Amino acid sequence: HGWLGVQRWFVYDNNSDDNLKDVIDTLNEENNYNVTRHVWPRVTSQEAGFSHCVLRAGSECKWVGFFDVDEFYYIPSKKVGKLGNPGRLREIIDDVALGSESIGEIQADCHSFGPSGLKESPKEGVTFGYTCRMKNSERHKSIVRPVAVDDTLMNQVHHFLLKDEFRKTRLSKNKVVINHYKYQVWNVFKSKFHRR
């Protein structure tokens, strides 16, 4: 996501047991990322975490995207292959924002990938190893302008209630999609399900 233009990360740690703090410290020290960790031990409270993040990020960020650790933005590009252009997500957001100050939420379709016939986690990584997905998108995910979010902070996992003067727009699939590696190989999926 840094390669695509994201400059700030707010990680909500929901009872992880994989040394997340150490990973974040390493990212900040060795790679100069701007990542903070917030311990969020509440079970089934994703919406509350999103509301909390909008308040927290509002003073630092013009736009805030909400996604899970197994979701990745994909920007189709014939010019540079599978990954798209560096900084391209930020450029797309800037283009949309410059087009209208009334846009408060930018939506992108979300595709769910499956285990792709694999029995073990792919050595080449999630985004290259899992190649089969559902034909149609299941839902969408959003990037919101914190100043546009209604004072109630009401949200569903995929979008926020906006103030009356703001509206939503949806990006076309040829610009941006989110690939969700929701159904991975059985041992990974089983572990994920057990943690819930």
Side-chain angles (χ1 to χ4, degrees):
H1 290 99
W3 192 75
L4 292 175
V6 176
Q7 296 175 316
R8 179 76 170 92
W9 290 264
F10 300 90
V11 176
Y12 279 65
D13 184 350
N14 188 231
N15 302 312
S16 67
D17 58 2
D18 57 358
N19 300 317
L20 180 60
K21 182 183 180 311
D22 295 338
V23 171
I24 289 172
D25 289 346
T26 300
L27 285 170
N28 286 331
E29 290 168 13
E30 294 179 8
N31 299 303
N32 201 25
Y33 285 106
N34 191 357
V35 184
T36 54
R37 174 178 164 257
H38 186 85
V39 176
W40 195 256
R42 297 152 187 88
V43 178
T44 64
S45 64
Q46 193 170 13
E47 290 90 349
F50 286 179
S51 294
H52 185 270
C53 188
V54 163
L55 290 174
R56 186 175 171 203
S59 63
E60 295 182 54
C61 304
K62 291 180 185 177
W63 291 93
V64 181
F66 296 89
F67 47 93
D68 298 334
V69 69
D70 61 355
E71 296 170 336
F72 300 89
Y73 283 93
Y74 171 72
I75 301 171
S77 174
K78 294 177 182 174
K79 293 180 182 175
V80 293
K82 291 185 176 183
L83 295 177
N85 297 318
R88 186 69 179 120
L89 179 62
R90 188 169 169 197
E91 289 174 15
I92 290 169
I93 293 168
D94 288 345
D95 287 347
V96 171
L98 289 174
S100 175
E101 289 297 316
S102 67
I103 293 175
E105 181 175 305
I106 301 170
Q107 301 173 345
D109 285 332
C110 186
H111 290 285
S112 292
F113 280 71
S116 306
L118 301 175
K119 303 293 182 206
E120 295 182 16
S121 296
K123 292 177 183 165
E124 61 269 58
V126 171
T127 60
F128 287 99
Y130 295 115
T131 57
C132 296
R133 67 168 172 84
M134 295 175 70
K135 183 176 182 179
N136 296 316
S137 59
E138 269 190 298
R139 59 181 58 93
H140 67 273
K141 293 283 181 155
S142 298
I143 301 170
V144 299
R145 197 185 300 232
V147 298
V149 173
D150 187 78
D151 293 337
T152 63
L153 299 175
M154 292 294 296
N155 71 84
Q156 294 174 351
V157 172
H158 310 294
H159 56 88
F160 277 84
L161 179 64
L162 300 178
K163 294 175 183 170
D164 290 339
E165 62 268 28
F166 291 96
R167 63 186 177 86
K168 301 171 184 184
T169 189
R170 195 171 214 144
L171 296 171
S172 66
K173 290 181 182 182
N174 65 348
K175 280 197 172 184
V176 176
V177 295
I178 295 171
N179 291 336
H180 186 183
Y181 297 92
K182 185 174 184 178
Y183 308 106
Q184 298 182 30
V185 293
W186 177 243
N187 63 337
V188 173
F189 182 76
K190 184 169 60 172
S191 172
K192 177 181 173 181
F193 186 81
H194 177 72
R195 287 195 306 269
R196 290 186 173 188

